[in-house]
Amino acid sequence: MPIYDFRCRACGHEFEALVRPQDHEPTRCPSCRHVDLERLLSSFAVSTAEKTQAAAKKSRQRQANANKDKLVADEEYRKEHEGH
């Protein structure tokens, strides 16, 4: 069964709703009960393992960049103070 994301045009509430072909009543906002809804683009599901791998990769990249910045700063400091 498809689950859709909606935004109510009346009150601005965003929510998900299961929409089945056999439903005769229109989907209503759970906050104000209006039927004037805008269907939003749904985000796709990502598994926890994919999220964990992506976070680890981002962390490693951030650490590598920090190490590179430190090495560059150390090298610049060494060059400035080499002849002193």
Side-chain angles (χ1 to χ4, degrees):
M1 300 292 161
I3 295 178
Y4 294 106
D5 293 328
F6 292 97
R7 178 183 302 123
C8 178
R9 289 188 176 110
C11 72
H13 181 70
E14 291 186 12
F15 62 97
E16 291 181 343
L18 175 67
V19 179
R20 299 176 295 192
Q22 65 267 29
D23 291 343
H24 298 292
E25 291 292 316
T27 304
R28 293 181 176 273
C29 173
S31 188
C32 69
R33 306 298 297 156
H34 267 260
V35 294
D36 188 14
L37 306 175
E38 173 185 5
R39 198 165 105 193
L40 304 174
L41 292 175
S42 298
S43 60
F44 57 90
V46 177
S47 75
T48 303
E50 289 172 325
K51 286 181 185 178
T52 303
Q53 290 172 353
K57 182 178 179 181
K58 188 174 183 179
S59 177
R60 285 190 303 271
Q61 185 63 45
R62 196 171 29 246
Q63 187 63 44
N65 288 341
N67 289 342
K68 179 181 171 186
D69 291 344
K70 184 179 181 327
L71 288 173
V72 169
D74 288 348
E75 182 65 19
E76 287 177 2
Y77 180 83
R78 187 186 60 76
K79 285 180 181 178
E80 283 181 20
H81 296 86
E82 201 171 62
H84 296 253

